[in-house]
Every structure is written in C-alpha cells, then in structure tokens.
Amino acid sequence: MAEKDLSWKFAEEFPAEPPATQGARQHSLELGIDPISPAVGAQLAVLAAAIDAKSILEIGTGAGVSGLWLLQGAPKATLTTIDVEVDHQQRARQSFTEAGIGQARVRLISGRAREVLPRMNDGAYDLVLVDADPASVLDYVEHGLRIARKGGIVAVAHALWKGRVADPAQRDETVADFRALLTTIAESSAVTAALSIAGDGLLQLVKTGD
C-alpha cells in the first residue's frame, strides 16, 4: 500500500465514533444510504466547535450520522435537517433520541430541498452541510452560501465523488457537476475554501463576502 494510502487509512480510523453514531451508520447501510465516514464526521464536529455554532442546517438527513457528528461538535446548537425520504428521517429521529438529544434541538423538514431552501432566510445559519442529491450540488451550495451568515461555513460532503473527480478519464454528469463547483469556488472572492481528501472528500467554505 502506498504511503499516502496508509496515511489516509490511518486518518480514517483515528476518530472514535460514539455508539449512537455507530448505530446510525449501521441503519444507514441497511437503508442503502452512503453515510459520511468517521473522519469526515470528526472534521464536521471540529468545524462546528471552532465557530461555536448555534444554528446548523443540513441538506440530506440520511439516518442521522452527519447530524450526530455536527451536534457532537456543537452541543448547544439546534439542527434543521431536510430530506425527501420520511422513513430516513424517522430513523434519524430515533438515532438522535438514542444519543440523548432532545427533540427541541432537532427540526426535521420532510420535502425536496430545492423547494424548501428558497424559503429560508439569508444569513440565518452558522453552518450549512450539503450531503444530498449530487445532481443538485451547485444549487444547494448557492443556497447554502446565501443562507449562511458572514463568517459562517458551508461544507460539501462527497466532493471527490468516489475518487472520480480527480480522474480525467471520468466524465459523467455527476463528476462534471462537482468539477464545475470546484472551479467556481476556486475563482470566487466571496469564500475561503479548502478541499480535504478525508472520506469521499469534504469541501469546506468560509463565507467571507456578501
């Protein structure tokens, strides 16, 4: 195994995932959901803690893995999370309960993010996580940057899309969307950006402009 692969594997195995999050991960796999990796979860927890997040928006609830990591980093925050799959959100609610997170701290919105996001207020959230339909990633990030406060964070999971974004031979539509996003971000003066190779890639944006 190459040196970089060994380092990646070590970093992936470094975070200690709490039992409730492990349970949510298992339920995710049973439901056919591709959850963020523990290393990505730990990075999200660090981001939430670093800005002392009080209001978090998640686009893509899944079975609660990412939400649990976010709330682990921001124990005083409230989480608003959107997903079109009601059964996924029901499982996520159980995961939050098992983790001891009160219902008042989690607001579940069932619906299509493309219909819900336009109704959300500008600058209303400290941190926005995009972890949903990759075909809509450009729209979701655009809304996320509008919804995040100045100095807030927008994070995009699966930004390297199964290792395909870095492979010039891969040219499918999803890969093209992620490449377009990364190109747009690299040219933007309204954000400070970093791309981590943890998990399936995590794009991290700090909103510096209006």
Side-chain angles (χ1 to χ4, degrees), residues 22-54:
Q22 292 179 24
R25 181 175 301 283
Q26 182 59 41
H27 289 301
S28 296
L29 298 176
E30 292 169 358
L31 290 167
I33 302 167
D34 183 15
I36 59 168
S37 75
V40 170
Q43 285 197 17
L44 291 175
V46 168
L47 292 174
I51 62 171
D52 192 22
K54 297 297 191 297

Side-chain angles (χ1 to χ4, degrees), residues 160-176 179:
L160 292 173
W161 195 244
K162 310 181 190 303
R164 296 166 68 87
V165 170
D167 183 355
Q170 304 297 327
R171 300 182 180 180
D172 62 74
E173 190 171 343
T174 299
V175 169
R179 285 178 182 155

Side-chain angles (χ1 to χ4, degrees), residues 17-191:
E17 196 162 57
T21 311
Q22 292 179 24
R25 181 175 301 283
Q26 182 59 41
H27 289 301
S28 296
L29 298 176
E30 292 169 358
L31 290 167
I33 302 167
D34 183 15
I36 59 168
S37 75
V40 170
Q43 285 197 17
L44 291 175
V46 168
L47 292 174
I51 62 171
D52 192 22
K54 297 297 191 297
S55 56
I56 300 173
L57 173 66
E58 179 183 46
I59 305 169
T61 309
V65 174
S66 51
L68 287 169
W69 273 111
L70 288 163
L71 292 175
Q72 180 176 326
K76 296 180 181 178
T78 57
L79 172 70
T80 298
T81 180
I82 307 167
D83 204 299
V84 72
E85 299 290 347
V86 176
D87 57 333
H88 294 181
Q89 288 197 321
Q90 290 175 342
R91 181 60 253 185
R93 173 67 80 187
Q94 293 175 12
S95 297
F96 295 135
T97 300
E98 289 166 6
I101 297 169
Q103 292 191 13
R105 293 187 57 206
V106 180
R107 176 190 179 204
L108 299 172
I109 299 178
S110 299
R112 297 185 182 279
R114 292 181 111 179
E115 299 172 1
V116 175
L117 292 172
R119 302 197 297 268
M120 294 192 150
N121 295 332
D122 294 3
Y125 290 89
D126 299 313
L127 193 157
V128 177
L129 172 63
V130 178
D131 185 13
D133 176 19
S136 301
V137 67
L138 291 165
D139 287 340
Y140 292 163
V141 171
E142 182 177 357
H143 279 295
L145 288 171
R146 175 184 62 80
I147 292 166
R149 65 167 171 82
K150 188 171 183 179
I153 292 173
V154 176
V156 184
H158 306 292
L160 292 173
W161 195 244
K162 310 181 190 303
R164 296 166 68 87
V165 170
D167 183 355
Q170 304 297 327
R171 300 182 180 180
D172 62 74
E173 190 171 343
T174 299
V175 169
D177 287 340
F178 275 111
R179 285 178 182 155
L181 170 63
L182 294 172
T183 298
T184 300
I185 291 302
E187 297 171 349
S188 174
S189 60
V191 299

